[in-house]
Amino acid sequence: MRSLDKTSHARSGATFLFAGITATFLTLLSTELAASDDKLSGLPSLVLGGQTATAQTFQFETPFNNLVNAGPLSIVLEKTTLDEVKTAFGGTLRSRSVEGLSIGWLCYELSTGDLPRRIWFVANGRDASAPAEKAVTFISTEEVSGDADTCDTPIVALAPLLLPVPTLKDGTEALEKRFGAGPKQGMVRYAHEQQGEQNTMVMQSLVYRLKDGHIDGIAFTQVTSK
């Protein structure tokens, strides 16, 4: 794959198709809801809250395989529902909704081995489905330290979570090999757009957080826009 160049087209296209998710999340954040301490935090909060919108953005030519092998469950973005994830791994489904907008998520804390981490499965959008019935559109995993937020221990092993792209324990070299470019520090976004069925546009977005050349957080999304 050729080296990737940052372009305004890549940034504007990714921003346009990603705007639906961000707008949903920001609306829910800014609206008084039923009393609850549940909230998205960490990398998901940054990405869905729009705080990574200014990250260096590259396009990639070949979309990643839209399949995540998570032990006993194979998760397909935009198809596997939160209810299916909950059935496989247990935990508490958390959600917020207002005026037709809703977001639901499951969060798991893993402390196995030498890589304490948190994994989020998120579904959101504007439709009539209950949160549990919504398909997962966003998965994030990040290294953690200290006390965790309100996350659950899965009832079965989630490790290893096999991702179709570079992930935790990888670094700048792996990003350069897969995408042609990669920073050593901070946030970077990789985006791919392609025409879908019935005049839709399918957008895949990968956001990485790096520290000293080491990936310590990743969030990836698939959204189909009409």
Side-chain angles (χ1 to χ4, degrees):
M1 183 179 295
R2 71 172 188 270
S3 295
L4 301 175
D5 296 319
K6 183 174 69 172
T7 65
S8 59
H9 172 72
R11 184 183 298 275
S12 61
T15 301
F16 174 77
L17 287 174
F18 202 64
I21 286 181
T22 302
T24 298
F25 185 69
L26 290 175
T27 299
L28 294 174
L29 278 181
S30 62
T31 305
E32 286 295 327
L33 303 171
S36 171
D37 291 331
D38 295 337
K39 63 179 181 179
L40 282 167
S41 60
L43 188 57
S45 177
L46 295 177
V47 175
L48 295 178
Q51 297 179 55
T52 64
T54 59
Q56 188 176 30
T57 301
F58 300 93
Q59 284 188 315
F60 58 95
E61 296 178 354
T62 304
F64 61 76
N65 184 8
N66 186 27
L67 174 67
V68 177
N69 293 312
L73 181 66
S74 294
I75 299 171
V76 180
L77 294 179
E78 295 196 285
K79 290 186 178 180
T80 304
T81 66
L82 284 177
D83 191 52
E84 290 174 306
V85 176
K86 184 178 185 299
T87 298
F89 304 129
T92 301
L93 175 63
R94 298 170 173 87
S95 65
R96 290 187 171 187
S97 62
V98 62
E99 297 179 357
L101 299 172
S102 66
I103 183 169
W105 66 91
L106 290 156
C107 177
Y108 301 100
E109 195 77 18
L110 306 179
S111 58
T112 56
D114 60 350
L115 188 65
R117 60 203 182 280
R118 189 176 300 132
I119 298 175
W120 305 78
F121 300 94
V122 182
N124 62 353
R126 184 188 292 275
D127 58 51
S129 301
E133 299 171 351
K134 291 182 183 295
V136 174
T137 56
F138 176 100
I139 298 177
S140 179
T141 181
E142 62 182 326
E143 296 181 18
V144 296
S145 60
D147 294 334
D149 294 318
T150 306
C151 288
D152 300 299
T153 301
I155 58 177
V156 297
L158 262 172
L161 186 65
L162 300 179
L163 307 181
V165 291
T167 185
L168 304 183
K169 285 194 171 181
D170 292 326
T172 301
E173 184 176 335
L175 293 178
E176 291 176 343
K177 182 176 180 180
R178 174 62 174 86
F179 302 112
K184 292 184 178 295
Q185 193 77 15
M187 298 282 192
V188 63
R189 183 190 301 277
Y190 302 96
H192 175 81
E193 302 169 30
Q194 65 182 8
Q195 193 72 37
E197 298 178 354
Q198 299 179 344
N199 296 319
T200 60
M201 185 68 71
V202 180
M203 180 266 190
Q204 292 182 338
S205 175
L206 295 155
V207 175
Y208 287 94
R209 183 178 62 202
L210 291 98
K211 292 183 179 180
D212 300 322
H214 167 80
I215 297 171
D216 80 337
I218 172 178
F220 56 106
T221 306
Q222 179 168 307
V223 177
T224 298
S225 175
K226 295 182 179 180

